[in-house]
Amino acid sequence: MLTFEGQKIQGSTNIVTKLTSLPFQQCKHAITTVDCQPSGPAGGMLVFVSGNLQLLGESHALKFSQMFHLMPTPQGSFYVLNDIFRLNYA
């Protein structure tokens, strides 16, 4: 599940549709902090990221926060179980 600016979106097809329908084509991320914690006996990981987004043609960067929950696969990689994204308007 993805929560994007308060809108809950479930299922990989719906998430891809949401992300590809955003009203910009290019965005540069500048990450300022990353915090991680293990989550439970299954080997998951909680990750919290904050930073700045710079949209093409915009003079001011937007501050953002994002939390996602990574879960391991039997093949040794991870997938995103939950993802929460917010722009910080302050």
Side-chain angles (χ1 to χ4, degrees):
M1 175 177 272
L2 168 66
T3 302
F4 186 88
E5 288 293 295
Q7 179 186 11
K8 291 175 177 41
I9 304 148
Q10 192 161 7
S12 59
T13 301
N14 293 334
I15 291 169
V16 168
T17 299
K18 173 62 179 178
L19 295 176
T20 56
S21 70
L22 294 174
F24 52 86
Q25 297 300 312
Q26 292 183 349
C27 179
K28 181 180 176 184
H29 295 76
I31 295 172
T32 55
T33 64
V34 177
D35 296 297
C36 302
Q37 293 183 357
S39 65
M45 183 73 63
L46 287 173
V47 182
F48 179 81
V49 178
S50 64
N52 298 301
L53 300 175
Q54 185 68 52
L55 301 178
L56 184 65
E58 295 292 328
S59 59
H60 298 288
L62 301 169
K63 296 196 177 298
F64 78 95
S65 298
Q66 186 170 16
M67 189 285 302
F68 48 98
H69 189 190
L70 300 175
M71 294 299 292
T73 67
Q75 297 79 21
S77 62
F78 287 86
Y79 68 94
V80 178
L81 179 64
N82 299 96
D83 187 342
I84 301 171
F85 176 89
R86 278 283 183 180
L87 291 172
N88 300 326
Y89 302 105

